[in-house]
Amino acid sequence: MAIRIPRGWELPESAVTPESVFLNRRQIIQGLAAGSIAAAAPGLAWGATDSDDPSAGLYPVARNERFEPGEGRKLTDEEWATRYNNFYEFGTSKKIWKAAQALKIRPWEVRIDGEVESPRTIAIDDLLSQMPLEERVYRHRCVEAWSMVVPWTGFAFREFVRFANPTANARYVAMETFLDPETAKGQRQDWYPWPYVEGLTMEEANHELAFLVTGLYGKPLPRQNGSPLRLAVPWKYGFKSIKSIVRFTFTTERPVSFWEEMNSREYGFWANVNPAVPHPRWSQATEKDLGTGKRIPTKIFNGYGEWVAALYEGNTDATLYR
Ligand SMILES: Nc1nc2c(c(=O)[nH]1)N[C@H]1C(S)=C(S)[C@@H](COP(=O)(O)O)O[C@H]1N2
Ligand SMILES: [Mo]
């Protein structure tokens, strides 16, 4: 197969195809003998790596218009969101998207245990078929002071909580990424506390903004973005939004997250975006918008204060500690 279309990231930024155009291109590719061409030429278009994702037929889904990019913000180009990533399991640079294609996303099971009425394991496609999917445009602010605005597809975390049926004792939910050093070479670096772990209070998990993500730009979530299931908590620094989740454990005690374990002086449990609290090694007052490169002021709770500030009333730890 020698079809060769230059890829977006091989072009100068000025020549990158606008979303509407590559959506059409993707529709065309999908229309062509489903699978055969896309499978023969992986990387042909943005969506082509999805061709082996059995959930592809679920997308796109309707956008929930309650969530907006924010004043002066525009959607980040898909190529930036899918080619500039943090996923330490596949390396510490931002260019891990190719390495991440090694991730086996099926079969994929999600374990639900701890303080639940009955622990269970569910296959991702069973879970997907039971959850109400919607699209939400969220801002994402990395602790490294870059940010993006992307359309995630997924379901409200609180729908998942209802499904998991925790006991009244549950105060936190801990989440865990897969552990497979065979495919994820970063996990052979044994000075990191693998697997990646994150956690939320039950109040946070039940907040309507907390979102479990299964798709991006109207397609199944690319592996490099944390397929098949990742978190999006847009009022917190990006490292809270754990990727490729295999386990949810409801607990009475606060979990210690991956980055907190690595360096608790720099990364805490709450990690609420706060421009007034600098990282020990850099300011958090501004951020660089991915793609445009524009420097913009960082907002408290990443601009979601109206939604979430009430969660932290009287909890100075949560707002003043990083
Ligand atoms: N398992 C896992 N989850 C992770 C990370 C990681 O290295 N491993 N990086 C985090 C960080 S620091 C950020 S900013 C976001 C990046 O998500 P993106 O690559 O989809 O933009 O994922 C978060 N989730
Ligand atoms: Mo991050």
Side-chain angles (χ1 to χ4, degrees), residues 7 30 89 112 143 154 213 237 268 274:
R7 301 163 197 185
Q30 281 190 331
E89 283 81 346
I112 301 168
V143 74
V213 170
Y237 288 118
N274 187 346

Side-chain angles (χ1 to χ4, degrees), residues 86 142-143 238-239:
N86 269 334
C142 176
V143 74
F239 66 84

